[in-house]
Amino acid sequence: MEKETPRTIAARLLAWYDAHARDLPWRIGPAARKQGARPDPYAVWLSEVMLQQTTAATVRRRYADFIARWPTVEALAAAPLDEVLGAWAGLGYYARARNLHACARAVARDRGGAFPDTEEELRALPGVGRYTAAAIAAIAFDRPAAVVDGNVERVLARLFAVETPLPAGKTAIRAKAEALAPHERPGDFAQAMMDLGAMVCTPRKPACGVCPLSDVCRARRDGNPELYPRKAPRGDKPVRRGAAFALFAPDGAVLLERRPPEGLLGGMLGLPTSPWTEDGAAAPSRAAPARARWRHAGAVRHAFTHFHLDLDVYAAVGARRKKPAANQLWADPETARLPTVMRKALDRARGAGFGKP
């Protein structure tokens, strides 16, 4: 590493990126950039928000639907929030969808549809944090910025053999990223680091033999790159429990409920549920949305970031109320766009023979 400088490391990585860059629908690749094409800041922002905590393979499919439906930030800003939340179903971390809509409205209303081009101004937008602001500034506007996502974090932790375990080690890793960020082609460099982590410097069995930086990687020199980034021991996730209620009308429609705007799955449609607690699920008679002959249809488990959720699923058939509560509606279970945990619970109820007209 002593023989290398930030400038030469950047040059080597950019040369590798020119030959091996991933073809992603939201990206302007290195060849196109050399021809003068420039990224659409809206596309960069949208993709970066969608990629948070979600794989590129999943986002590739869903991004195309979003950009076709709302091709500009003004179009997204004009869309009803319910439609955006519905289109987001299955991507998880639903606060991102609410922030996405709020940010689009702010950019359309206050900035004439133009995204700002500095990290400081970008971070003032709803839902735009440190990483997203740096990514947009670098990729969309070629501003030098330290863009550190999970892939980049892993590359830098190995390249410099950062011994401090995460999360405390993030400070040292960020300092390395800031030192490496070049003034020439900063957007391509940021994407090159992401691609290196995604394709070569993978969490398991990294392909060190084809890495453009392998000869200066301290973790490889030490013989076990998979030890990095080091992580502090984590305790077992707690388990919360609750009950979900699938009430079907005779025609097969299911009663759905809009969750409160704040908190997990905020603003999303789902089955009515009891509170989720660590001391057991509420009795169906107390938490059910209607009087009915409720039958236990099984249970589902879903892993959230900080806890596991076990839901006992109860199902029943009841009369279709003409005027459900303000936060409720009847929907076709086949086409309802639901968060993954709610889809699991609904499928469990249907698997027990309910919801078939």
Side-chain angles (χ1 to χ4, degrees), residues 71 195 213 268 313:
D195 282 8
L213 304 177
M268 300 296 294
V313 181

PDB file of all heavy atoms in Angstrom, residues 71 195 213 268 313:
ATOM      1  N   PRO A  71     -42.315   9.294 -14.864  1.00  0.00           N
ATOM      2  CA  PRO A  71     -41.041   9.520 -15.553  1.00  0.00           C
ATOM      3  C   PRO A  71     -40.280  10.767 -15.101  1.00  0.00           C
ATOM      4  O   PRO A  71     -39.110  10.917 -15.453  1.00  0.00           O
ATOM      5  CB  PRO A  71     -41.452   9.630 -17.026  1.00  0.00           C
ATOM      6  CG  PRO A  71     -42.883  10.065 -16.988  1.00  0.00           C
ATOM      7  CD  PRO A  71     -43.470   9.436 -15.766  1.00  0.00           C
ATOM      8  N   ASP A 195     -19.468  -1.282  -7.669  1.00  0.00           N
ATOM      9  CA  ASP A 195     -19.409  -2.471  -8.522  1.00  0.00           C
ATOM     10  C   ASP A 195     -18.342  -3.450  -8.043  1.00  0.00           C
ATOM     11  O   ASP A 195     -18.538  -4.670  -8.100  1.00  0.00           O
ATOM     12  CB  ASP A 195     -19.130  -2.067  -9.976  1.00  0.00           C
ATOM     13  CG  ASP A 195     -20.358  -1.525 -10.680  1.00  0.00           C
ATOM     14  OD1 ASP A 195     -21.383  -1.325  -9.997  1.00  0.00           O
ATOM     15  OD2 ASP A 195     -20.298  -1.300 -11.895  1.00  0.00           O
ATOM     16  N   LEU A 213      -7.199  -4.270  -7.350  1.00  0.00           N
ATOM     17  CA  LEU A 213      -6.446  -3.735  -6.214  1.00  0.00           C
ATOM     18  C   LEU A 213      -5.883  -4.841  -5.322  1.00  0.00           C
ATOM     19  O   LEU A 213      -5.449  -4.571  -4.204  1.00  0.00           O
ATOM     20  CB  LEU A 213      -7.349  -2.808  -5.382  1.00  0.00           C
ATOM     21  CG  LEU A 213      -8.000  -1.649  -6.128  1.00  0.00           C
ATOM     22  CD1 LEU A 213      -8.918  -0.863  -5.193  1.00  0.00           C
ATOM     23  CD2 LEU A 213      -6.960  -0.727  -6.743  1.00  0.00           C
ATOM     24  N   MET A 268     -49.241   1.924   5.072  1.00  0.00           N
ATOM     25  CA  MET A 268     -49.461   0.820   4.145  1.00  0.00           C
ATOM     26  C   MET A 268     -50.774   0.102   4.464  1.00  0.00           C
ATOM     27  O   MET A 268     -51.255   0.093   5.593  1.00  0.00           O
ATOM     28  CB  MET A 268     -48.317  -0.190   4.236  1.00  0.00           C
ATOM     29  CG  MET A 268     -46.954   0.377   3.901  1.00  0.00           C
ATOM     30  SD  MET A 268     -46.812   0.949   2.201  1.00  0.00           S
ATOM     31  CE  MET A 268     -46.973  -0.589   1.297  1.00  0.00           C
ATOM     32  N   VAL A 313     -52.458 -16.159  12.589  1.00  0.00           N
ATOM     33  CA  VAL A 313     -53.412 -15.695  11.575  1.00  0.00           C
ATOM     34  C   VAL A 313     -54.781 -16.309  11.852  1.00  0.00           C
ATOM     35  O   VAL A 313     -54.907 -17.533  11.971  1.00  0.00           O
ATOM     36  CB  VAL A 313     -52.938 -16.077  10.160  1.00  0.00           C
ATOM     37  CG1 VAL A 313     -53.924 -15.567   9.113  1.00  0.00           C
ATOM     38  CG2 VAL A 313     -51.536 -15.511   9.901  1.00  0.00           C
TER      39      VAL A 313
END
